[in-house]
Amino acid sequence: MKKISRRLFVEGTGAGIVAVAIPLEGQAQSAPAAPTTASNAPKTTIKLTINGQQRSMEVEDRWTLVEVLRDHLQLTGTKIGCDRGECGACTVLVNGKAVYSCSQLAVWMDGRTVQTIEGLAQGTKLDPLQTAFIEHDAPQCGYCTSGQLMAAKALLNSNPKPTREEVRAGMTGNLCRCSNYNHYVEAVMAAAGTLKSGGAA
Amino acid sequence: MKSLRNVNPKSFQEAARTLAADPKAMAVGGGSDLLQLLKEHTIAPDTLVNLKAIGGQDKIETHGNTLSIGALATLDSISHHAEVRQKYAVLAEAAGQVATPQIRNAGTIAGNVMQRPWCWYYRNNFPCYKNGGNTCFSITGENDFHAIFGGGPSFIVHPSDTAPALVALGARFKIQGANGTREVAAADFFQPPTVNPAKENSLAAGEVLTEITIPAPAKGTRSTYLKILDREAWTHAVVGVAAVLEMDGAMCKSARVVLSGVAPIPWRVPAVEQILAGQRITEDLLVRAGEKAVEGARPLAKNAYKVPLLRASVKQALRTASGVSA
Ligand SMILES: Cc1cc2nc3c(=O)[nH]c(=O)nc-3n(C[C@H](O)[C@H](O)[C@H](O)COP(=O)(O)OP(=O)(O)OC[C@H]3O[C@@H](n4cnc5c(N)ncnc54)[C@H](O)[C@@H]3O)c2cc1C
Ligand code: FES
Ligand code: FES
């Protein structure tokens, strides 16, 4: 795990492509992270599955999902760009559907299944999307990349062989301030095996 | 974010009772509108009544001749529903053009029609009518995206894409209060700012929307939603047209045409409907329909561009809906 992540970090702009959930390793399955709750704020204990691990944890009712992921579970692969549902950097899958984790409260995740960028690779085996993103130089600065990957994952889950137009439509909810949109589309097409020969960027 | 409590009601009635008992409580569906307002301190509820917790209220089903859509049905599920796409295309297209896939996955149909205005003065906490004040800053301010019909005293435009489609389809809204239920036609649900400039509809405190029903369209009905944006995606309609036409060949037997992006409520244009009824769709008729649609428009200083845009959009939407290549 460590080795491949190192290699990839060196190989390119891997930072956004492979997020390694170091703090999760070796942690008891349902061990709650140590959230720092304000003493008088309403709190709720929720049970949810994150990247295949069942967890039970106490959250403040006002916490957003992305806050819990980043600040309390150290799953910092999910980024915050705008915190207003306007950029897509925080995209994760909830019950298989892409949503903005900045625009969901964590208490609403009770009983749900959340997949983040940290759960995309199968052990040391990268998801075909991650491989394609590397091969097609999809990220530039990489900030939007984990969100782009999760949006693409949701798209291919529901439409494994999308057309270029469908990829573009499926990724409209993810801004890239480096404006590397064409490479992202090529990478998704390649991962889906729908890239026409000669169509590579 | 401010401190708040989330409660999970077991029924719409329990939700309505909680809301009626606590003026600082608010209903929440997908949260895609409400959480942005909360983070900006535009609203400050102490309690959120999480309607998703009720469960099973997101169904889209046909009962006899009526389509029933649960209040919690997501925009994504509506836009992909086979029967909605086939018989109620205007609604599937409107839902499918809202914002982005992520917002359509979270956003519910009830939340979509109940969303608050996206006027930048309201969203930036100016003390305008919508924030409990007694003025509309758009009148003398930045009014590029504001109303050209039905404005005053507030000049917001109603932000929902699905609302004009629902009005055009003759939908009805079922509403649960603390002490009972009521039903209202979508066309009567939305209220102009002259009724209460702080609100956009007749939902009272302590009421929730539970279900939307739509009668089966008459034979030969064709429909479409045309949405014009100032960029390719992720934003509200600058101008939108929901057109529902009952066709017999090239003959339009009857029409319902409702506009978005131009008025504080979904804006029905009876004058357009009348000149279409009983007429063959021709280029000339479409031109006249476009002209009729903009009659009486009163643009503000910076939104006169909406007039020609609307004229052309109505013409184009009617052509698409009719299926006639006039
Ligand atoms: C960046 C961005 C772009 C957007 N673009 C568009 C667009 O192009 N077109 C468009 O139409 N919308 C747009 N929206 C607005 C909107 O958030 C969504 O369309 C969505 O459908 C709202 O549904 P929700 O369930 O998330 O609402 P919520 O945020 O849960 O609720 C919205 C409001 O409705 C009330 N409410 C919710 N459910 C009920 C109920 N059952 N009974 C009574 N009251 C209820 C809530 O109290 C709240 O005031 C956009 C939002 C964002 C953030
Ligand atoms: S951080 Fe959630 S959409 Fe930008
Ligand atoms: S790669 Fe820089 S924001 Fe997209």
Side-chain angles (χ1 to χ4, degrees):
Chain A
M1 192 84 175
K2 255 183 220 139
K3 209 168 169 195
I4 189 148
S5 69
R6 247 195 97 70
R7 183 170 63 74
L8 283 162
F9 272 92
V10 173
E11 204 169 89
T13 42
I17 295 179
V18 185
V20 186
I22 297 159
L24 285 184
E25 284 175 38
Q27 222 176 46
Q29 287 259 309
S30 61
T36 39
T37 52
S39 58
N40 56 350
K43 298 179 202 62
T44 303
T45 299
I46 58 168
K47 287 199 175 68
L48 73 170
T49 304
I50 302 182
N51 298 332
Q53 294 194 344
Q54 284 191 357
R55 297 180 153 265
S56 167
M57 62 186 295
E58 186 177 63
V59 297
E60 285 190 23
D61 288 10
R62 64 174 156 179
W63 285 349
T64 58
L65 175 57
V66 73
E67 259 176 275
V68 166
L69 293 173
R70 291 183 51 85
D71 300 348
H72 303 285
L73 296 173
Q74 285 75 49
L75 292 170
T76 52
T78 303
K79 304 300 177 201
I80 300 178
C82 65
D83 204 27
R84 295 291 183 278
E86 292 175 358
C87 79
C90 66
T91 301
V92 301
L93 307 196
V94 174
N95 289 358
K97 296 257 184 183
V99 299
Y100 298 136
S101 58
C102 72
S103 300
Q104 295 287 328
L105 290 186
V107 314
W108 300 341
M109 295 300 117
D110 194 25
R112 307 224 173 178
T113 298
V114 178
Q115 190 186 6
T116 71
I117 182 72
E118 287 86 351
L120 202 51
Q122 301 292 317
T124 56
K125 194 170 168 293
L126 293 184
D127 188 278
L129 276 166
Q130 291 172 302
T131 311
F133 271 44
I134 293 169
E135 283 169 359
H136 288 261
D137 278 336
Q140 283 195 36
C141 80
Y143 198 82
C144 70
T145 306
S146 55
Q148 303 276 4
L149 274 167
M150 298 317 285
K153 185 70 184 169
L155 172 69
L156 297 190
N157 280 348
S158 66
N159 182 2
K161 295 281 170 212
T163 63
R164 188 173 304 265
E165 274 320 299
E166 286 167 343
V167 172
R168 290 169 59 94
M171 309 277 289
T172 47
N174 294 76
L175 296 186
C176 174
R177 63 188 172 180
C178 302
S179 206
N180 222 26
Y181 297 106
N182 293 340
H183 290 234
Y184 279 122
V185 172
E186 297 304 330
V188 178
M189 298 289 286
T194 46
L195 193 67
K196 297 224 171 56
S197 51
Chain B
M1 207 182 319
K2 78 176 281 293
S3 176
L4 53 80
R5 181 183 309 278
N6 177 77
V7 299
N8 291 329
K10 291 197 174 53
S11 65
F12 280 123
Q13 186 169 45
E14 186 187 329
R17 290 200 172 136
T18 307
L19 290 164
D22 179 0
K24 303 260 319 176
M26 283 186 77
V28 62
S32 64
D33 173 36
L34 184 134
L35 285 188
Q36 323 307 341
L37 289 167
L38 240 167
K39 290 177 185 179
E40 296 292 350
H41 309 283
T42 310
I43 57 171
D46 286 342
T47 300
L48 293 185
V49 180
N50 173 22
L51 301 178
K52 291 185 297 295
I54 298 171
Q57 303 301 331
D58 57 355
K59 296 201 182 78
I60 307 171
E61 311 172 314
T62 318
H63 301 301
N65 258 339
T66 307
L67 180 76
S68 154
I69 303 178
L72 279 293
T74 64
L75 299 170
D76 179 69
S77 64
I78 292 168
S79 72
H80 287 113
H81 193 273
E83 191 180 351
V84 179
R85 289 168 69 105
Q86 198 206 340
K87 285 166 73 179
Y88 311 89
V90 63
L91 179 60
E93 291 173 17
Q97 287 181 73
V98 169
T100 65
Q102 287 92 327
I103 288 176
R104 295 195 292 274
N105 286 335
T108 65
I109 185 78
N112 189 264
V113 302
M114 288 300 300
Q115 65 179 293
R116 299 310 313 279
W118 287 76
C119 166
W120 39 43
Y121 292 107
Y122 169 61
R123 298 259 161 183
N124 283 291
N125 302 337
F126 278 63
C128 68
Y129 288 114
K130 298 295 174 189
N131 279 318
N134 64 352
T135 186
C136 174
F137 292 91
S138 78
I139 298 171
T140 54
E142 301 298 330
N143 48 37
D144 312 42
F145 296 110
H146 291 75
I148 58 171
F149 292 110
S154 159
F155 284 76
I156 62 128
V157 290
H158 199 278
S160 168
D161 283 314
T162 63
L166 292 169
V167 172
L169 289 168
R172 297 183 67 79
F173 293 173
K174 290 194 178 165
I175 292 166
Q176 171 82 54
N179 301 313
T181 58
R182 68 181 176 103
E183 211 184 294
V184 59
D188 300 327
F189 178 74
F190 301 99
Q191 289 183 337
T194 44
V195 176
N196 177 352
K199 290 180 58 177
E200 296 80 54
N201 56 61
S202 67
L203 200 80
E207 285 189 327
V208 284
L209 217 57
T210 62
E211 184 188 346
I212 294 173
T213 59
I214 309 179
K219 194 164 151 280
T221 297
R222 304 174 47 102
S223 65
T224 196
Y225 182 67
L226 173 68
K227 179 175 179 181
I228 306 291
L229 305 173
D230 65 341
R231 56 177 191 244
E232 266 190 54
W234 212 330
T235 188
H236 291 86
V238 171
V239 159
V241 184
V244 179
L245 305 182
E246 186 189 349
M247 297 294 297
D248 182 2
M251 170 77 78
C252 174
K253 292 167 77 177
S254 70
R256 301 247 313 192
V257 183
V258 185
L259 311 176
S260 56
V262 296
I265 54 171
W267 193 251
R268 200 171 161 190
V269 275
V272 174
E273 298 173 0
Q274 277 155 26
I275 66 164
L276 293 169
Q279 302 296 315
R280 282 183 70 83
I281 299 291
T282 60
E283 172 70 17
D284 175 62
L285 184 70
L286 296 180
V287 169
R288 285 193 288 127
E291 290 297 343
K292 266 282 177 244
V294 300
E295 246 176 45
R298 286 177 49 216
L300 300 158
K302 299 186 177 179
N303 65 7
Y305 73 92
K306 283 193 183 186
V307 175
L309 189 58
L310 180 63
R311 190 191 291 128
S313 301
V314 165
K315 191 179 152 194
Q316 186 181 325
L318 291 174
R319 190 196 304 281
T320 306
S322 73
V324 178
S325 45

